[in-house]
Amino acid sequence: MSTCTNTVSTLPGYYTADQVNEASAAFFKENGYLVITDALSDAEVDELNGEAVKICRGIHGKSAGTAALLPQFGEATDMSDDEVIRHYLCIHFPHKVSEIMRRYLAHKNLVRVLVSVIGPDVKCMQSMLFIKAAGKPGQAWHQDEDYIPTRDRSLTGAWMALDDATVDNGCLWVIPGSHRHGILWPQYPQNDKRFDCAEESYDFPYTDADSIPVEVPRGAIVYFNGYLLHRSLPNRKQSGFRRVLVNHYMSAQSFLPWQVDVSVPQAKNDFRDIIMVAGRDPYAWKGTVSVSEMHVRPDGKGGCGDGRMSLDEFKAAQASAR
C-alpha cells in the first residue's frame, strides 16, 4: 500500500472507485475538484511509467513537433532510465505515439467519474505527461479553460498520479469553489523562479491562504473543472519524481473552439482531433482528423529570465497604455 494512502483517506472530496455516486458528483459541482484514491492498480501505474521511459528514449519515434530531446536520448544506452527521463518536464500528446497511453484515455474507472460530472457523451482532446524530477519547477496559478476553451464550461482535467504526490514533491494545489464564478481571470507573464514559463492568473478574489494541497497516492486520479484555479510548486525532494498523466475531456454535445480554423465562421469552429471515451458523438458526421503532434514543453529552469516584469510593473504598464 502507498505510504500516502492513509493520510488522505478521510479528507473531504476523497473517494474510492466504488464510492462514485451522486454525492461525489455533488462534491465536484460545489468544489470544482474530486479525488478517486484507488483508480489505477499498481500494475497499471507500473505500465504507464514503463511506457513513459520508452517515450522519453524515443523508442516510439518522434514527430515533427518534438524537441531535440528525444533523438538526443534515444541512443543514450550509457544513461539509466531515471537519468533520461529527468531531462523532461512535460510531453504533450503522448497518446499520439503510444497505444498504451491512448488506451488509458478511456480507463473504466476514469470514465465512470467523467460521465457522472460531465454527462453521458464525453470526448478527449489532449494528454500531457509530466515527469517533474527533483528540482524541476511547478506551474503558477491558472485555469485550464484559458488554454482549451469550451462553449459549455464542461472542460475537465483528469490528473493521474504515477507517484505519490505530496507537498514536498510538488503536488497539485487548488482553490475550492473558485470555478463557480465562471470567469477567466486575467493573466500576466510571471517571472517567479518557482514556476515554468506559463503565464499566471491574477486579480481573482482569493489569496494563497485559500488554497489547499491535494496530496494523493500513486494510482489516484484528481478531477478538476476547467475554471478551477490551481497550481503546483517545485519538486523540492533531493531525488525522485512526481510523474503524472493529465488528460482533458469535455462534453461531446458541445463544439470545441480550439486551434481555430480562420476559414470557418466563429460560431462553427469545432476542433475535431478528438477521441470519444463515453456515449455518442452528436457531430460524428463531421469526421475526425489527426493534426496534433507529440511535442516537448521547454521547462526553463524555473522562471523565465530577468526580462519579465513583476505584477505591479505589468499593471502599471497596462494602465499607461490605456
Side-chain angles (χ1 to χ4, degrees):
M1 180 180 291
S2 165
T3 57
C4 194
T5 302
N6 292 335
T7 65
V8 303
S9 58
T10 60
L11 292 174
Y14 287 68
Y15 300 84
T16 59
D18 61 1
Q19 292 175 327
V20 176
N21 54 27
E22 292 181 0
S24 60
F27 185 92
F28 181 87
K29 182 178 180 180
E30 179 70 14
N31 294 276
Y33 76 98
L34 172 70
V35 178
I36 303 300
T37 57
D38 60 346
L40 304 177
S41 69
D42 282 341
E44 289 171 326
V45 173
D46 289 343
E47 181 179 39
L48 285 168
N49 281 331
E51 190 69 357
V53 170
K54 292 180 181 179
I55 291 171
C56 290
R57 284 194 176 277
I59 291 174
H60 292 310
K62 65 183 190 300
S63 66
T66 303
L69 285 175
L70 287 173
Q72 176 182 343
F73 295 121
E75 302 299 325
T77 56
D78 60 327
M79 299 176 68
S80 70
D81 290 343
D82 283 1
E83 288 174 321
V84 169
I85 68 174
R86 77 172 316 278
H87 287 83
Y88 298 83
L89 179 64
C90 180
I91 299 174
H92 290 246
F93 300 106
H95 74 274
K96 289 289 186 173
V97 300
S98 166
E99 286 299 321
I100 290 176
M101 294 285 176
R102 184 182 176 98
R103 169 159 49 85
Y104 277 87
L105 298 180
H107 188 281
K108 62 179 182 179
N109 287 339
L110 186 154
V111 170
R112 284 180 63 204
V113 175
L114 292 174
V115 169
S116 74
V117 301
I118 294 177
D121 306 321
V122 182
K123 60 186 176 183
C124 177
M125 78 290 290
Q126 185 189 57
S127 62
M128 296 188 294
L129 175 64
F130 286 90
I131 304 296
K132 200 171 183 180
K136 291 291 187 179
Q139 284 186 281
W141 289 119
H142 66 284
Q143 299 162 284
D144 286 355
E145 187 91 16
D146 276 317
Y147 306 102
I148 307 176
T150 62
R151 292 174 57 134
D152 63 349
R153 301 181 186 174
S154 65
L155 184 66
T156 302
W159 199 93
M160 308 167 73
L162 306 182
D163 295 290
D164 286 355
T166 66
V167 169
D168 287 342
N169 71 4
C171 70
L172 198 67
W173 288 72
V174 303
I175 300 179
S178 58
H179 66 298
R180 295 199 303 268
H181 295 274
I183 294 172
L184 292 177
W185 306 103
Q187 293 184 299
Y188 81 104
Q190 54 80 25
N191 63 357
D192 192 319
K193 299 297 184 184
R194 297 175 297 171
F195 306 121
D196 67 13
C197 292
E199 293 187 337
E200 181 168 24
S201 299
Y202 69 98
D203 270 2
F204 44 80
Y206 304 99
T207 68
D208 291 355
D210 296 308
S211 65
I212 61 170
V214 187
E215 294 188 292
V216 297
R218 74 192 300 262
I221 300 180
V222 184
Y223 300 84
F224 54 96
N225 182 275
Y227 279 77
L228 187 77
L229 284 160
H230 62 285
R231 73 172 179 179
S232 67
L233 295 169
N235 184 343
R236 296 192 175 95
K237 300 282 282 187
Q238 294 300 308
S239 62
F241 305 92
R242 191 230 61 187
R243 290 164 291 190
V244 175
L245 178 62
V246 186
N247 303 327
H248 282 98
Y249 304 86
M250 66 174 289
S251 171
Q253 297 176 9
S254 179
F255 285 175
L256 172 60
W258 190 34
Q259 302 180 29
V260 299
D261 182 347
V262 296
S263 67
V264 177
Q266 188 176 52
K268 294 292 185 180
N269 266 298
D270 186 19
F271 185 68
R272 294 299 300 173
D273 191 350
I274 60 163
I275 296 172
M276 290 294 299
V277 300
R280 58 179 288 274
D281 182 1
Y283 305 107
W285 55 270
K286 293 185 175 187
T288 57
V289 295
S290 181
V291 294
S292 299
E293 295 184 323
M294 185 181 71
H295 61 275
V296 177
R297 177 192 296 186
D299 66 26
K301 295 299 178 183
C304 293
D306 296 330
R308 287 190 165 189
M309 295 178 283
S310 69
L311 178 55
D312 288 342
E313 291 170 334
F314 177 79
K315 286 183 174 180
Q318 293 291 96
S320 63
R322 293 192 182 102

